[in-house]
Amino acid sequence: MDSEQPFHEGELSIQKRLGVDERVAAFAPRLIRDHLTEEHQAFFPMLPTLLVGSRDEQGALWASMLHGEPGFIDTSDARRLGIGVLPLQADPLSRALMPGKRLGFLGLQFETRRRNRIAGRVEEAGRSGFSVAIDQTFGNCPKYIQTRAPVKLDVQPGPAHMSSQLAPADTALIEQADTFFIASGIEGADDDPRAGTDISHRGGRPGFVQVENNRLVWPDFVGNFLFNTLGNLAVDPRAGLLFIDFNSGDSLQLSGRAQVIWYADFQQGFPGAERFVAFTVEKALRIPAALPLRWEFSQASPFNARTGVWSELSGQDNS
């Protein structure tokens, strides 16, 4: 991977549009690898959760969270992930665990804000887990991550509910959120590691995501300049979002289509916003107590002080 261009056409187009292509080209080949470093091999087994991006049978994207006792992620082989748990049957991820399917992973340690990304392909799946051949890995900065401490409870998930519309409780969860996750990707040749599925973190002050009926809009703040998510959306607008109620363990998974909004007049008065993303919900899956974890809030990201929320933009027309 170090000797090859690690970005596809969508990522390169965004980097060039924003004038960071030469800057990124200078450091990215050292950052993006085809294997786990020793540091990352030690990191993933410590986690009680793992974020996963996947496509369903129709090609729609979904974001999911797996959970288990620390150690359920096996990284003893630097080019392979062993996952010792399976998703809930209601989760679309459960039907994506077939050999050759591309998945994206995000390991996030909420207590320390450490996070690392992996893209790979399913090798095999069994009754207690699955394995993945690694295509790409890289670390991420800790921006916009709120620190939380997970506490495990002995609870069972409730019945899943799938809908094409957001319920009032869904809207309330989104509008109060300070964190969500987005899955994106592009399809490509089997031997092209730049194609595949990705999952990334988004964070801000509570209220940074706006909801109007089945449409969500959020500001895109300054990041690492790789533009993996926006680059994917430039090629394929399909995306999946995951919102978690950290107090109840409920999960809200949304699948739909996203669009980057570049217009400068849209961001007037919105601190920290460099552009916006609009997302139209096509499917919404709510699973009560999907996660047997509850997170005790510790500290907001210090970067949040530079960002705004929609409620502070009263009197402005941001339609």
Side-chain angles (χ1 to χ4, degrees):
M1 179 64 63
D2 291 352
S3 62
E4 299 177 3
Q5 170 57 256
F7 301 108
H8 60 68
E9 58 178 325
E11 294 164 325
L12 291 171
S13 70
I14 303 296
Q15 293 169 12
K16 186 173 182 179
R17 174 177 184 144
L18 298 175
V20 298
D21 49 325
E22 293 183 2
R23 175 179 175 183
V24 171
F27 71 80
R30 300 190 303 272
L31 174 70
I32 301 175
R33 308 174 179 87
D34 61 1
H35 63 280
L36 294 167
T37 65
E38 291 184 4
E39 181 183 7
H40 291 173
Q41 282 183 272
F43 172 72
F44 280 92
M46 296 190 296
L47 303 176
T49 60
L50 183 65
L51 283 303
V52 188
S54 66
R55 288 188 188 271
D56 65 17
E57 302 90 330
Q58 289 75 43
L61 279 154
W62 294 89
S64 307
M65 178 181 275
L66 296 174
H67 63 86
E69 295 294 333
F72 81 93
I73 306 171
D74 179 7
T75 53
S76 55
D77 185 333
R79 298 180 183 272
R80 181 178 178 274
L81 274 184
I83 311 297
V85 299
L86 291 172
L88 296 175
Q89 188 173 2
D91 191 322
L93 176 60
S94 67
R95 297 178 291 283
L97 300 181
M98 297 180 291
K101 289 284 284 187
R102 296 179 185 265
L103 303 176
F105 299 91
L106 174 65
L108 173 59
Q109 191 172 51
F110 286 90
E111 308 97 302
T112 64
R113 298 191 174 102
R114 290 180 63 189
R115 56 173 166 165
N116 296 292
R117 305 249 279 275
I118 295 175
R121 285 169 278 190
V122 177
E123 289 183 321
E124 56 184 5
R127 295 184 176 181
S128 60
F130 60 100
S131 61
V132 175
I134 292 173
D135 288 328
Q136 285 189 345
T137 76
F138 60 97
N140 277 174
C141 71
K143 283 181 179 176
Y144 314 114
I145 298 174
Q146 333 308 338
T147 56
R148 288 180 161 91
V151 178
K152 185 171 182 180
L153 302 178
D154 184 13
V155 295
Q156 296 299 315
H161 177 70
M162 180 77 82
S163 175
S164 61
Q165 300 289 326
L166 292 175
D170 301 335
T171 298
L173 172 58
I174 296 168
E175 290 181 334
Q176 296 167 11
D178 61 26
T179 299
F180 73 93
F181 304 92
I182 178 169
S184 62
I186 69 167
E187 299 179 287
D190 289 342
D191 61 351
D192 187 353
R194 294 167 296 187
T197 307
D198 176 63
I199 185 165
S200 184
H201 165 277
R202 292 291 182 270
R205 292 163 56 193
F208 80 110
V209 183
Q210 182 190 59
V211 189
E212 292 184 355
N213 298 318
N214 258 27
R215 185 174 185 262
L216 282 61
V217 180
W218 63 86
D220 192 67
F221 304 128
V222 64
N224 57 16
F225 304 112
L226 301 184
F227 297 110
N228 307 108
T229 300
L230 299 192
N232 287 337
L233 297 179
V235 177
D236 185 343
R238 291 174 291 186
L241 309 184
L242 171 65
F243 290 86
I244 297 168
D245 187 326
F246 292 106
N247 295 317
S248 68
D250 292 5
S251 67
L252 175 63
Q253 295 165 267
L254 308 177
S255 185
R257 293 176 182 266
Q259 174 188 8
V260 180
I261 301 174
W262 299 100
Y263 309 120
D265 59 346
F266 192 90
Q267 65 195 56
Q268 289 180 0
F270 205 116
E274 300 208 328
R275 69 213 121 245
F276 291 79
V277 179
F279 177 86
T280 301
V281 177
E282 295 176 349
K283 294 181 180 178
L285 176 64
R286 181 84 178 231
I287 305 179
L291 301 162
L293 298 170
R294 306 294 181 267
W295 284 263
E296 296 179 353
F297 182 86
S298 178
Q299 185 181 47
S301 168
F303 290 94
N304 286 0
R306 308 175 188 175
T307 64
V309 296
W310 290 98
S311 61
E312 296 174 348
L313 304 183
S314 58
Q316 294 195 40
D317 181 8
N318 293 303
S319 58

